[in-house]
Amino acid sequence: MVKVLEHCRVYPAPGGVDEMSIPLTFLDLIQLPAGSTKLLLFFELPISTDLFTKYAVPSIKNSLSLALKHTLPLAGNLIYPPNFEMPQIRYVKGDSMPLVFAESEDDFDHLTGNHARNASVFHSFVPELPPVSMVSNEPVIPITAIQVTLFPNSGICIGLNNIHAVCDGNTFFSCLKLWASIFQSGETAFSSSGSNLLPFYDKTPLKHPRWTELEATFWSQAKQKKCAGPAKSLSANNVIATFVMPQNSIEELKKQVTAQYPTLSHVTAFTVTCGHVRSCMVKANVSCKEEMNKEDEEEHFGFWADLRRRLSPPLPENYFGNCLIT
């Protein structure tokens, strides 16, 4: 458990637009059933609670407010219009983002290590999204919540909870980089050197007629699940661990693959690592079930790929939204 130091709401700094509405594309609709995604970022920071509350907290609030001026959708809501029309992202003046400051006595090194830990130890560092509300018969779903947890004299954890249909990891990390740039150098320095971090909101490139049918199909499937709310927490029985693949191990895997398949023109670190991970997962699953009679059963291993550079014409790297395919 954590000790909550402060609950607050952060409003975008003055200077931005008063209203913004962004339609969802079929690539956003794919992610509606996913609900929210949760992310934890740990940073070493040997600071006391007094110094944290006196200096860091005001700076975090101020820089986040300035960052939200450029990333207004994160302070807004996902709106479901009546009669099951297509949902959209909407920001209106007065919208804000919930921010929690907390303190934990947990072992920072234990949490950030590579060894196996029970997943439940991380739950208290993830903020809860505000509940879905009804406004004029429209379900209104808050998009983002942030929690900053201090481990006195050790470090901090920034916990984020975000509706996946609004944006993918590429977009979200760009917004975090923008926030970090403002926190470190101020908005003046950011304005002169960080324009590449400003989101590109235009959805026109993804509103091609050939994708209209796909959009209708994905929306037809997604609306059967009603509102996309926060994702459920992991089971208390789940275990999290990190496995590090050193360079020499990757090179050895490449040699083994090349020796077995000499006609392959190019063997990448990504492909051999994925193959090794999947092989280990299959073996572990077989070992747990003690079933050794399915050695020839076909297995599938999938991952999400960023399409921004693969579209024609390509989307800019700072495109705001989902642009993933599996």
Side-chain angles (χ1 to χ4, degrees), residues 37-320:
T37 56
K38 301 176 180 180
L39 175 68
L40 295 177
L41 302 172
F42 289 87
F43 301 92
E44 292 185 356
L45 183 65
I47 186 174
S48 68
T49 303
D50 288 342
L51 291 177
F52 177 76
T53 55
K54 185 176 181 179
Y55 296 106
V57 169
S59 296
I60 290 171
K61 290 181 183 178
N62 182 61
S63 59
L64 180 58
S65 176
L66 292 169
L68 287 177
K69 181 175 74 172
H70 304 286
T71 57
L72 291 173
L74 297 183
N77 298 281
L78 185 63
I79 306 295
Y80 278 69
N83 303 320
F84 291 101
E85 295 179 16
M86 193 78 72
Q88 59 180 288
I89 304 163
R90 185 185 302 169
Y91 167 82
V92 296
K93 188 174 182 180
D95 286 342
S96 59
M97 179 188 293
L99 174 63
V100 177
F101 292 99
E103 181 181 351
S104 173
E105 296 182 356
D106 287 340
D107 188 332
F108 184 82
D109 292 332
H110 172 74
L111 293 171
T112 57
N114 295 330
H115 51 271
R117 293 91 78 206
N118 194 299
S120 62
V121 302
F122 295 99
H123 291 177
S124 59
F125 309 129
V126 180
E128 292 292 334
L129 282 170
V132 177
S133 59
M134 297 294 294
V135 178
S136 301
N137 293 322
E138 294 181 347
V140 177
I141 305 171
I143 289 174
T144 308
I146 296 179
Q147 177 176 318
V148 181
T149 304
L150 171 70
F151 301 83
N153 303 310
S154 295
I156 63 170
C157 172
I158 300 179
L160 307 119
N161 201 344
N162 182 71
I163 296 297
H164 201 334
V166 172
C167 63
D168 58 21
N170 187 305
T171 294
F172 205 56
F173 273 104
S174 291
C175 293
L176 290 177
K177 289 178 181 178
L178 186 152
W179 179 21
S181 176
I182 293 175
F183 179 86
Q184 184 177 27
S185 306
E187 192 179 24
T188 303
F190 157 76
S191 299
S192 61
S193 62
S195 59
N196 61 322
L197 296 177
L198 291 175
F200 177 82
Y201 291 114
D202 187 6
K203 301 279 187 173
T204 304
L206 290 177
K207 290 293 182 179
H208 195 281
R210 67 188 178 193
W211 288 330
T212 302
E213 185 176 346
L214 274 176
E215 189 172 278
T217 299
F218 284 123
W219 172 230
S220 177
Q221 296 173 353
K223 69 183 180 181
Q224 302 302 323
K225 301 179 183 298
K226 299 183 179 180
C227 301
K232 295 181 178 179
S233 298
L234 292 172
S235 166
N237 295 325
N238 286 51
V239 173
I240 294 177
T242 306
F243 299 91
V244 180
M245 288 286 290
Q247 186 64 37
N248 61 329
S249 297
I250 293 176
E251 294 302 323
E252 182 60 32
L253 286 173
K254 286 183 178 182
K255 292 178 182 178
Q256 293 179 22
V257 172
T258 302
Q260 190 169 354
Y261 302 97
T263 59
L264 291 179
S265 59
H266 186 51
V267 180
T268 68
F270 179 75
T271 54
V272 297
T273 303
C274 285
H276 179 66
V277 169
R278 186 55 181 162
S279 175
C280 292
M281 291 171 64
V282 172
K283 291 177 181 178
N285 188 52
V286 170
S287 177
C288 290
K289 293 183 178 180
E290 297 182 354
E291 295 180 4
M292 302 301 293
N293 57 346
K294 296 184 179 180
E295 294 182 0
D296 297 327
E297 184 176 335
E298 186 175 356
E299 295 285 345
H300 298 273
F301 182 78
F303 53 88
W304 292 97
D306 192 336
L307 291 179
R308 285 170 174 78
R309 296 181 181 178
R310 293 172 170 83
L311 296 176
S312 182
L315 285 173
E317 287 299 308
N318 57 343
Y319 167 77
F320 187 100

